[in-house]
């Protein structure tokens, strides 16, 4: 089986199931090496990250790379991507092209041999204008996760952020007119729910709603308001249909290309939405027949296994690429995020390099102020002060960059990464871990591991940890035997460094 390096970010299904669905489709026909670029970049810095990727590609003789960027993420240097793409097949997928095509995605796509499009079909022709080969697959999901065959006791459901657009206004209108609609997500009384709960709600719903507006991504990019005119065909419509609920969606571009619209229905106003809900709730047989046909269609066309058939490209020469002021502004401004990340963790050399990238690409004062203001909202300044004080007084920060530390919530995919790591690796297991969760994350085949691996965890779960790790020749450390650390501080990296110092583990 051929090897492929997937450079993405780890996402739980609760965050966004489409990442894992695409990864599953790739893994059907390739041996996958997975890199969480955000985590690795944050640990190693720009130079360290790029050297690490190059060494991995060479060591494992990997001939294919698949980039799955987070929407609007400008972490990676386009010159680095184009460098490692030479003599290799490069695949890319871009989410939310409707927001980011002009300012980010079309620039990165210059290094690709094939771009996968989960968005509106019109973007296939837009990539073609730039001489970039693209295939429109739309959003692919794992069909095995959706159909539960439950009793449909919910008349109407909506799952999503109620604070966006006019969604709240529409939902209130329905309730005022006697429609029993259950709402889940940010801004609703039920709040956000897990992926498992979402699937349950969809399988209990007679009708499920979808809205097609797009909204500003306030974290990664500087949004163009004219994009508010675009109606996005969202992947949620596939999840609704896979679950067997009847889809009632706001009209959007490419919708008739995605689904046989005779098996779903659309709305473009509150009044039309209300009328159609009343109609389909009073016509069970028609609604159920259409929902079943739509379910059969999406299971055939949009299961993640369909991705595998497109992994057949040959490498092409990437002789040149263009970078304009617009992209430099986004890429350069994005460096401030990593500059502050490294600064607050006392990684001064990495912070200096990010600042150099800012100066290299141009200082855009207005954008920098906006970005810094957004970022500063997320910072715990007391923690930073504590961390810096510890680092400066005890001077224990040098030579620690080779220790890779993973919080327990990320272990699932990071265990895949171990197959490529040569560093000392520590898994930081917090006091919330339970045996069932531990089994879910740790039951893997570790026969190819060459790294020295340590798991650090709460002694309350020592027996569970030691029992499981022993079968994989992994070492468990009870931190309380080696350092005076209270239970609330075990999650802090500085305490992990203490433990390594006490154990005299060299890096």
């Amino acid at each position: 089986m051929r090897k492929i390096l997937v450079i993405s970010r780890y996402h739980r299904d609760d965050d966004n199931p489409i990442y894992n669905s695409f990864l599953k489709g790739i893994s059907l026909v390739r041996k996958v090496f997975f890199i969480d670029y955000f985590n690795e970049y944050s640990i190693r810095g720009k130079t360290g990250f790029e050297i690490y990727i190059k060494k991995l590609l060479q060591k494992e003789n990997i001939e294919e790379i698949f980039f799955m960027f987070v929407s609007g993420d400008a972490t990676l240097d386009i010159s680095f991507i184009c460098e490692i793409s030479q003599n290799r097949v490069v695949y890319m997928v871009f989410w939310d092209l409707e927001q980011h095509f002009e300012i980010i995605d079309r620039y990165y796509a210059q290094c690709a041999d094939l771009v996968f499009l989960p968005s509106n079909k019109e973007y296939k022709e837009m990539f073609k204008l730039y001489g970039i080969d693209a295939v429109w697959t739309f959003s692919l999901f794992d069909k095995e996760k959706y159909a539960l065959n439950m009793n449909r006791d919910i008349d109407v459901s909506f799952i999503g952020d109620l604070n966006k657009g006019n969604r709240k206004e529409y939902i209130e209108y329905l309730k005022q007119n006697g429609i029993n609609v259950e709402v889940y997500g940010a801004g609703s009384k039920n709040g956000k729910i897990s992926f498992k709960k979402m699937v349950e709600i969809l399988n209990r719903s007679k009708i499920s709603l979808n809205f097609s507006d797009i909204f500003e991504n306030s974290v990664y990019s500087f949004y163009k308001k004219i994009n508010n005119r675009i109606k996005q065909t969202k992947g949620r419509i596939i999840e609704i249909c896979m679950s067997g609920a009847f889809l009632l969606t706001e009209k959007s571009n490419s919708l008739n290309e995605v689904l046989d619209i005779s098996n779903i229905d659309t709305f473009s106003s509150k009044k039309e939405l209300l009328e159609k809900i009343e109609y389909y709730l009073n016509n069970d047989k028609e609604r159920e027949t259409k929902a079943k046909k739509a379910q059969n269609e999406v299971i055939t066309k949009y299961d993640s296994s369909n991705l595998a058939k497109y992994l057949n490209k040959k490498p092409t020469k990437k002789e040149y690429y263009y970078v304009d002021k617009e992209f430099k502004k986004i890429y350069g401004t994005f460096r401030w995020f990593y500059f502050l990340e490294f600064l607050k963790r006392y990684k001064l050399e990495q912070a200096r390099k990010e600042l150099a990238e800012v100066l290299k690409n141009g200082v855009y004062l207005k954008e920098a102020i906006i970005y810094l203001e957004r970022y500063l909202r997320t910072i715990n300044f007391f923690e930073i002060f504590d961390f810096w004080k510890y680092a400066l007084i005890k001077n224990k920060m040098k030579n620690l960059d080779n220790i890779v530390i993973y919080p327990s919530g990320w272990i699932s995919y990071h265990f895949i990464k171990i197959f490529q790591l040569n560093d000392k690796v520590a898994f930081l297991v917090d006091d919330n871990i339970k045996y069932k969760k531990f089994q879910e994350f740790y039951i893997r085949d570790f026969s190819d591991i060459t790294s020295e691996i340590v798991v650090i965890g709460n002694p309350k779960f020592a027996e569970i940890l030691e029992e499981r790790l022993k079968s994989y020749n992994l070492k468990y450390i009870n931190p309380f035997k080696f350092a005076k650390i209270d239970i609330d501080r075990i999650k802090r990296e500085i305490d992990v460094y203490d433990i390594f110092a006490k154990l005299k583990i060299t890096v």
Side-chain angles (χ1 to χ4, degrees), residues 252-264:
S252 63
N253 302 321
S254 298
L255 183 61
N256 62 333
E257 300 271 6
V258 178
L259 295 170
D260 181 347
I261 57 174
S262 67
N263 295 324
I264 64 170

Side-chain angles (χ1 to χ4, degrees), residues 249-289:
T249 179
E250 189 177 9
K251 290 180 180 178
S252 63
N253 302 321
S254 298
L255 183 61
N256 62 333
E257 300 271 6
V258 178
L259 295 170
D260 181 347
I261 57 174
S262 67
N263 295 324
I264 64 170
D265 215 330
T266 62
F267 63 90
S268 55
S269 68
K270 290 184 291 186
K271 183 180 179 182
E272 184 179 17
L273 174 60
L274 175 62
E275 290 173 351
K276 290 190 173 181
I277 287 175
E278 291 175 335
Y279 174 80
Y280 284 109
L281 288 179
N282 290 322
N283 290 273
D284 292 345
K285 187 174 181 180
E286 180 182 353
R287 183 192 71 242
E288 291 167 2
T289 300

Side-chain angles (χ1 to χ4, degrees), residues 116-172:
F116 289 84
L117 304 179
S119 301
N120 290 358
K121 190 175 183 179
E122 292 85 351
Y123 286 93
K124 181 176 181 179
E125 295 302 316
M126 295 180 73
F127 276 111
K128 189 176 180 180
L129 287 173
Y130 294 93
I132 298 168
D133 193 11
V135 58
W136 183 66
T137 59
F138 197 58
S139 298
L140 305 177
F141 293 94
D142 184 356
K143 64 184 179 184
E144 296 178 3
K145 295 181 178 180
Y146 287 90
L148 301 180
N149 297 319
M150 301 177 72
N151 178 39
R152 298 196 179 274
D153 57 352
I154 297 174
D155 284 344
V156 184
S157 67
F158 170 69
I159 303 172
D161 191 340
L162 200 61
N163 297 316
K164 293 181 176 180
N166 54 12
R167 296 174 178 183
K168 186 175 291 186
E169 178 185 340
Y170 271 57
I171 296 299
E172 287 302 317

